[in-house]
Amino acid sequence: MNASGELVLAVAGGAIGDGRTGSVVAGIVALAAVGLGALARARAKGRLGGGPWPAGGTAAMAAALLAVALGVLHLATSTGGFGTGNGRAGAIVAILLGLLGGALGRAERAARSTTPGSR
């Protein structure tokens, strides 16, 4: 098999682990997006200090975008239905968590832009 064939196989989830690998990776990225969004939201509301990294909302939205993209990619390339062990339900949960993380990151950016003296 040539290198491009192996890359296609790896993206489709065929060469790396079992069928759940793609949804697990998407889920981990989605949980990171939710965590970053929650921390950024708490920082924007003044519950935490300013911290050394004020761009938490942007990082949460970027991680959320990646999580949603990975979840959709896994759903598009997986075969079988629910209960077959291929990670379809995990990919859907990752998409939902990614959307939540993106919403938290966007809310932080909106709160920061309306706070006087935040720029």
Side-chain angles (χ1 to χ4, degrees):
M1 181 179 290
N2 59 13
S4 65
E6 289 177 7
L7 180 63
V8 169
L9 196 61
V11 168
I16 304 172
D18 59 0
R20 291 179 290 269
T21 304
S23 65
V24 167
V25 170
I28 290 171
V29 173
L31 285 174
V34 170
L36 284 170
L39 284 173
R41 184 77 173 134
R43 189 177 300 133
K45 288 211 176 252
R47 294 187 195 128
L48 297 175
W53 194 36
T58 304
M61 289 192 308
L65 179 66
L66 180 63
V68 169
L70 288 172
V72 168
L73 177 67
H74 184 74
L75 278 178
T77 58
S78 65
T79 58
F82 295 106
T84 59
N86 62 4
R88 288 180 73 88
I92 292 171
V93 169
I95 291 170
L96 293 175
L97 284 175
L99 291 174
L100 175 64
L104 286 171
R106 179 67 186 128
E108 183 271 337
R109 287 179 51 96
R112 191 167 33 126
S113 68
T114 59
T115 305
S118 63
R119 291 192 184 238

